Amino acid sequence: MAVIFDRPKALLDVPTHYCPGCTHGIIHRLIAEVIDELGILDRTIGVAPVGCSVLAYNYFACDMQEAAHGRAPAVATGIKRAIPESIVFTYQGDGDLAAIGTAEMVHAATRGERITTIFVNNCIYGMTGGQMAPTTLPGQVTETSPYGRDVLTQGYPIRVSEMLSTLDGPAYIERVAVSSVPNIIKAKKAIKKAFIYQMEGRGYTLIEVLSTCPTNWGLSPDEAMTWLEKNMIPYYSLGVKKDIALEVK
């Protein structure tokens, strides 16, 4: 019997700790499928963050390195420079990347480090109980913004992809979502392109993935998908934010 759907070799056959309806699992699978399709499992090294995906090293079959909170780009830079033939990716949430890790992310990008960042944006701190994050939307209710994010006192959300696209170092930046089958297909294509650009030595690549957090949003998995579509995508527009190949043309 022909096998038409199976677990990627780059993804281990173990239960995960993620909440029901969390889309980390979808993103993990997309990365694993790309690693398999590119045939780079034996030279891929992932860097896990602090956050909900802190245990990512338990799920990927490639070599994994844990980093201190926000420091994944710095750790990845060291790995890539020490082992330049490796394919290195960081997997980071919005709290890890856009708050405590802002400096590491910006400077790795502006230096054009040959690494790939998978940036999971769910507009909230997940692991630590649902606090307001740098990406929390205006008016969004969280544990630390119970009346909704007030931009006059708490500032505006950071559009990370747009900010990084102004720098010279990044080669490719795209924002995708995993809220529907068509969006998931586009997300995989973007992740694969980012890895290919790294393999070609083009520069820093980042894929921002709009994701859900049903538990901390207080929604069911279905409701969370709808909330993402209605609230996140209008503010965080999908699409390519920078592509040096297109700029050359």
Side-chain angles (χ1 to χ4, degrees):
M1 182 180 295
V3 176
I4 60 174
F5 189 79
D6 199 6
R7 172 181 54 82
K9 292 181 180 179
L11 201 62
L12 298 174
D13 186 13
V14 295
T16 76
H17 72 289
Y18 297 119
C19 298
C22 172
T23 42
H24 273 301
I26 296 174
I27 303 167
H28 280 20
R29 182 181 178 93
L30 297 183
I31 295 170
E33 287 181 353
V34 166
I35 291 173
D36 281 7
E37 291 172 10
L38 294 176
I40 56 174
L41 180 58
D42 61 341
R43 61 189 183 111
T44 296
I45 303 172
V47 182
V50 172
C52 286
S53 52
V54 67
L55 300 178
Y57 50 77
N58 285 333
Y59 308 136
F60 290 103
C62 61
D63 287 337
M64 295 290 295
Q65 170 69 50
E66 180 59 50
H69 201 182
R71 310 310 185 223
V75 173
T77 295
I79 294 171
K80 183 69 174 184
R81 292 192 179 194
I83 317 173
E85 67 274 15
S86 62
I87 305 302
V88 184
F89 74 93
T90 70
Y91 188 99
Q92 300 176 258
D94 45 283
D96 182 86
L97 179 142
I100 193 170
T102 310
E104 280 74 7
M105 172 262 297
V106 169
H107 289 288
T110 199
R111 292 194 307 267
E113 299 293 345
R114 273 59 173 175
I115 61 175
T116 297
T117 291
I118 307 300
F119 168 40
V120 182
N121 178 4
N122 58 20
C123 292
I124 205 166
Y125 275 92
M127 181 183 71
T128 48
Q131 302 97 317
M132 186 181 73
T135 54
T136 296
L137 297 173
Q140 184 178 346
V141 173
T142 72
E143 287 296 317
T144 51
S145 58
Y147 302 107
R149 179 173 189 160
D150 181 357
V151 298
L152 295 179
T153 57
Q154 297 161 328
Y156 289 89
I158 298 175
R159 290 185 174 96
V160 170
S161 291
E162 284 84 349
M163 178 176 68
L164 294 183
S165 69
T166 65
L167 303 175
D168 293 330
Y172 173 54
I173 297 173
E174 182 169 356
R175 182 182 292 122
V176 298
V178 288
S179 53
S180 66
V181 172
N183 280 340
I184 290 172
I185 292 172
K186 292 177 183 177
K188 180 179 175 180
K189 289 180 180 178
I191 293 170
K192 190 171 187 176
K193 186 174 181 178
F195 274 71
I196 290 173
Y197 270 34
Q198 180 182 165
M199 294 168 69
E200 295 173 346
R202 294 185 180 224
Y204 180 80
T205 56
L206 178 141
I207 304 300
E208 178 178 348
V209 186
L210 300 186
S211 181
T212 64
C213 186
T215 297
N216 287 304
W217 290 356
L219 301 173
S220 70
D222 284 346
E223 291 170 338
M225 290 295 193
T226 301
W227 194 90
L228 187 159
E229 294 274 355
K230 290 185 175 180
N231 296 279
M232 292 181 67
I233 291 178
Y235 193 91
Y236 295 112
S237 62
L238 304 182
V240 175
K241 307 304 176 184
K242 183 171 185 179
D243 187 338
I244 59 171
L246 296 178
E247 291 174 2
V248 169
K249 295 179 180 179

